[in-house]
Amino acid sequence: MSRYYYYLILINMVANIIASVPAILLHSHKDGAVSAMILAIFVGTFLVTVYTRFFNAFPGRTLPELLQKTTAPWFYRPFVFFLAVMWFIAGVITLITFVFLLIRYLTPEMSINLISLTLILSVIFGCLMKTERVFYTVEIILLITIPLILFIFFKAYNNDHLEWDYVKDAALYVNKWPNIDAFSACFFLFLGVANLTIFNRFFTEKQKFGWKQIFIIAVIAMATLFTTYFIPIGFNGLENIGELVYPWISTSDSLRMEYFIIERVLFVFLLFYLGIAFLSILIHWHASMEFLKFVFNLEKIKYKGKKFGKFIPVPFFIGISLILVQLLNEYRLFLYTHYFYNALIVIFPSMCFLFLFIKRRMKYAEQANQK
Amino acid sequence: MFSLEAVKWINDQFKQTNELTEKTLEYEQKYMQLFYLKPLIDREMLQNSVIKPFFEMASENQFKLYLHALPQFQEATTKEQVMREIMNGSVVAVIQNEWYLLDFKLSTNDKVNNTSVETTIHGSQLALSDNLATNINVIRSYYHQPSLCVEYVVKGEVNQHKVAIIYDKEKVKNGVLDTIRERLQNVDKQVVSSTTQLNNFLNNKRLSLFPQMIMTERPDRIVYNIAGGKVILVVDGNPQAVATPAVFFDYMSTMEDNYHTLIISIFLKFLRYAGLMISILLPGLYVGVTSFSPEVFRTELALTIAGSRVGVPFSSFIEVLFMLFFMELLLEASIRLPKAISATATTVGGLILGTAVTEASLASNIMVIIVSAVAISTFVIPVNEMAFSIRVVRLLFIFVTTIFGLAGLTLGLYVLIMYLVNLDSFGEPYLQLYTSPKNRSKWERKT
């Protein structure tokens, strides 16, 4: 597989730490989070395999292009619009979460609009770039941030205050029946692969996707889930861990770098996770914008000979996100996010049936072409 | 076609100047007319290779054959060409309505310079010269391949400078070459006098910050770039060449990286990138940390910074802008000043101003350290053009941090990366990691 494919998956997995995933997981720490995680690894890896195999069969094609060929317009347009909205929401969740984080921990005096504008303005023009350029950006920023994030994880695992007894204690709850909320939160980690719906455009050559690749993804997923769930427990204990709003921020704030110029790991964590959040929003919104291009044929809109169609969604994106930042608070964001995650476990597996349909239609289309 | 009329036409064209010399030689039934611009030609050469033989040879036919055999001989086709060649320093000899163009140009600028912009310790210390012919001679003598091509274009409607496009036909990407030819065709400036000017004319953008062609004066770099499939542009009368398409990493490397041992060059590269980061981020970081979130640094450091700022009447960003402004003035002044004075200027500016500013507590001691650190780390960037761009970027970063705080600074860095990735240099992505085998195979397919 091309390394860019792994970036898509990796970012969704790593970015979840600052989103509501750990909070949702830890919320059900005594009723079935562990078993849900184990279940999610199997189901998630299976879903990744199905999605990758499907898009691998059509190198360089995006999902909207395939739908355009195989389905009727009454289905195609509303469905792609629905996808655009979903991808927009996925980006907005990361955005709002991070805005709340920044105002809580880094710059409490700044107005919330200004903070959200910082993030929105920096991302929004990136979303208009070509898909390949998005990938190059992702690669370089990951190259900067990942070593530091790994260092923080290393610090966490190496810390004296990490009590493995709590971790073992938490692991004992494995015998509980999987919790649906926890499962959907874990499941979200694997949905990075769904970005292939647009980003498949970049993979113009057929990729190798066998057991080795599946194994790598499963291992990465396991490591991320383990870190996401058990490290906060190891630091904060098992009782009342479900009450923490930002479990990972509290955890990183209990780390110190005694001899470095920045003593509290929290700030390093925040500023470098800002990069991951940035990429996550960039990828989601880029996909969303591309979907919108397909729905409304934005490329064709001209004014005085200049193509400005692709800029049309920009004010909507900015406006809606600003309004949402105003409307929501942490509790509501948490609530809606987990509704969203719960909806996803229905939507994405059922898209597999759509894939089956497309595959059959394309096969017939190819046969017809050959005749 | 070359009759008396043509002679008259040429005389008419040069009516305004009194420098066109017309000489008629007649001896033993031999008859010849010479036209040339006196200041442009090598008189001794003319004397030795045309005038002397004229009087020595037995017949006119023999003399004609002799002229044909001269290495300076050039076929004359149109009268416009003849006129242009006269202006380029050729001598026109007319014998029985037959025209002979002889290149006797006297060049005083064909000495090869010493490197002054891209100095290195290892490697050649010689740069290009101001003379196009010499430059091509230098490049050809360093690059022995029959596939090396040189194309000439004349640019600048008034000053009619020669521009040479140099490339290796087997290595260059055709798309790039076509774009360059096409864009060169569209350049309709009155005066073209420098290669770096082409940077602005060829990139098809009105507002651009980052250079898209890399300026160099080193023949080894030119040869290295030609071998890498780049196109080199050289303008007559200019000791610098530009290479294109250029990517960001080109601007961060020197030729010496190839001459050192691996570990040393990795270390030097690390220094350079660290310098780049410091010069971009440090002033912004100072503003962000002192004005927005002092708790980021460890307590002792935060206290030291705050203590050093005691008595400074400005907010941190005014302090930074104030000091940076003077540093930029100093930099600019030391480029423009005559060499003899510039040393004094830097002493007065750097040392005396720096000390006095802290004593008057208009800026903190730490600020002075930061400004000098920033200035030094800007000099680490090896290609001068990039250093200039970085100076502008730094100011933008200070503004962003002033408005949005530390998060703004971090995002600013990511946006800068994104912007660079989004830039094109003649169809090539400006910033991209090139290690992937996928890209390599793509590259191989293209070439």
Side-chain angles (χ1 to χ4, degrees), chain B residues 145-188:
Chain B
Q145 282 296 331
S147 51
L148 183 73
C149 283
V150 183
E151 284 173 27
Y152 293 99
V153 189
V154 174
K155 276 294 137 196
E157 275 169 34
V158 177
N159 67 344
Q160 303 271 327
H161 254 20
K162 252 194 198 168
V163 179
I165 311 173
I166 308 166
Y167 55 90
D168 185 328
K169 205 160 201 164
E170 279 173 9
K171 299 215 156 122
V172 76
K173 287 191 193 169
N174 282 324
V176 174
L177 199 57
D178 292 340
T179 332
I180 290 173
R181 281 192 197 128
E182 183 193 328
R183 289 188 188 171
L184 260 179
Q185 208 107 75
N186 295 335
V187 174
D188 54 347

Side-chain angles (χ1 to χ4, degrees), chain A residues 3 110 114 118 122 126 129 133 136-137 139-140 144-145 205 258 260-263 267 271 274-275 278, chain B residues 293 295-298 403-404 407-408 410-411 414-415 417-418 421-424 431-433 435-436 445:
Chain A
R3 61 199 159 129
M110 263 167 85
L114 206 57
T118 329
S122 52
M129 293 193 299
R133 300 297 163 95
Y136 300 154
T137 314
E139 181 167 40
I140 290 173
I144 300 173
T145 49
E205 276 164 43
E258 288 85 351
F260 193 54
I261 47 170
I262 299 175
E263 195 177 6
F267 295 111
L271 291 177
L274 190 57
F278 175 83
Chain B
S293 8
E295 71 274 17
V296 168
F297 281 160
R298 60 183 305 129
I403 301 169
F404 297 114
T410 323
L411 284 171
Y414 299 144
V415 170
I417 291 172
M418 199 163 75
V421 169
N422 200 26
L423 275 185
D424 272 318
L431 180 62
Q432 184 200 346
L433 291 183
T435 49
S436 118
R445 242 179 294 134

Side-chain angles (χ1 to χ4, degrees), chain B residues 70-188:
Chain B
L70 275 179
Q72 288 96 338
F73 173 78
Q74 207 181 335
E75 206 80 47
T77 46
T78 61
K79 52 187 180 181
E80 283 80 13
Q81 185 214 358
V82 170
M83 187 185 80
R84 213 167 40 236
E85 289 302 330
I86 290 179
M87 284 191 293
N88 274 341
S90 287
V91 173
V92 181
V94 183
I95 306 169
Q96 291 176 350
N97 281 343
E98 275 177 47
W99 291 50
Y100 298 86
L101 269 178
L102 302 162
D103 185 8
F104 287 138
K105 187 178 163 84
L106 175 72
S107 310
T108 48
N109 60 357
D110 55 0
K111 294 281 175 310
V112 171
N113 300 334
N114 281 329
T115 51
S116 59
V117 183
E118 290 168 84
T119 45
T120 54
I121 300 174
H122 299 212
S124 157
Q125 304 294 326
L126 292 180
L128 295 178
S129 73
D130 279 13
N131 186 300
L132 185 62
T134 317
N135 288 345
I136 287 169
N137 168 286
V138 168
I139 293 169
R140 269 220 186 267
S141 52
Y142 284 173
Y143 193 86
H144 305 279
Q145 282 296 331
S147 51
L148 183 73
C149 283
V150 183
E151 284 173 27
Y152 293 99
V153 189
V154 174
K155 276 294 137 196
E157 275 169 34
V158 177
N159 67 344
Q160 303 271 327
H161 254 20
K162 252 194 198 168
V163 179
I165 311 173
I166 308 166
Y167 55 90
D168 185 328
K169 205 160 201 164
E170 279 173 9
K171 299 215 156 122
V172 76
K173 287 191 193 169
N174 282 324
V176 174
L177 199 57
D178 292 340
T179 332
I180 290 173
R181 281 192 197 128
E182 183 193 328
R183 289 188 188 171
L184 260 179
Q185 208 107 75
N186 295 335
V187 174
D188 54 347

Side-chain angles (χ1 to χ4, degrees), chain B residues 202-372:
Chain B
L202 297 188
N203 71 357
N204 276 3
K205 267 188 213 149
R206 212 151 36 118
L207 279 176
S208 58
L209 176 57
F210 288 92
Q212 261 136 61
M213 295 167 146
I214 185 165
M215 178 193 92
T216 182
E217 57 168 7
R218 296 183 62 86
D220 50 356
R221 194 165 191 143
I222 293 174
V223 167
Y224 182 76
N225 281 333
I226 293 178
K230 289 189 184 168
V231 178
I232 311 283
L233 297 176
V234 191
V235 175
D236 198 9
N238 216 267
Q240 279 122 15
V242 289
T244 193
V247 297
F248 182 76
F249 296 116
D250 290 343
Y251 294 92
M252 293 303 290
S253 56
T254 68
M255 280 316 289
E256 255 180 325
D257 288 348
N258 305 339
Y259 303 155
H260 282 296
T261 52
L262 181 67
I263 292 178
I264 294 173
S265 63
I266 288 175
F267 168 69
L268 291 179
K269 270 189 186 158
F270 166 76
L271 270 187
R272 231 170 275 148
Y273 283 94
L276 175 75
M277 283 296 152
I278 288 175
S279 66
I280 292 179
L281 294 179
L282 202 58
L285 195 67
Y286 179 78
V287 173
V289 165
T290 49
S291 298
F292 283 87
S293 8
E295 71 274 17
V296 168
F297 281 160
R298 60 183 305 129
T299 328
E300 293 88 339
L301 184 59
L303 285 177
T304 313
I305 296 174
S308 148
R309 273 178 52 78
V310 167
V312 176
F314 310 128
S315 59
S316 62
F317 70 92
I318 293 189
E319 191 190 349
V320 169
L321 286 180
F322 174 77
M323 285 308 286
L324 271 184
F325 179 65
F326 280 104
M327 189 198 82
E328 299 288 346
L329 283 185
L330 201 67
L331 272 181
E332 195 56 23
S334 57
I335 297 174
R336 306 288 159 234
L337 277 176
K339 278 223 173 79
I341 318 178
S342 79
T344 333
T346 34
T347 321
V348 172
L351 294 176
I352 303 179
L353 198 79
T355 334
V357 154
T358 46
E359 270 169 17
S361 61
L362 287 175
S364 64
N365 278 318
I366 290 185
M367 189 63 243
V368 174
I369 296 174
I370 287 178
V371 166
S372 26

Side-chain angles (χ1 to χ4, degrees), chain A residues 134-150:
Chain A
V134 173
F135 265 131
Y136 300 154
T137 314
V138 166
E139 181 167 40
I140 290 173
I141 295 182
L142 272 186
L143 198 73
I144 300 173
T145 49
I146 285 288
L148 264 139
I149 285 166
L150 285 180

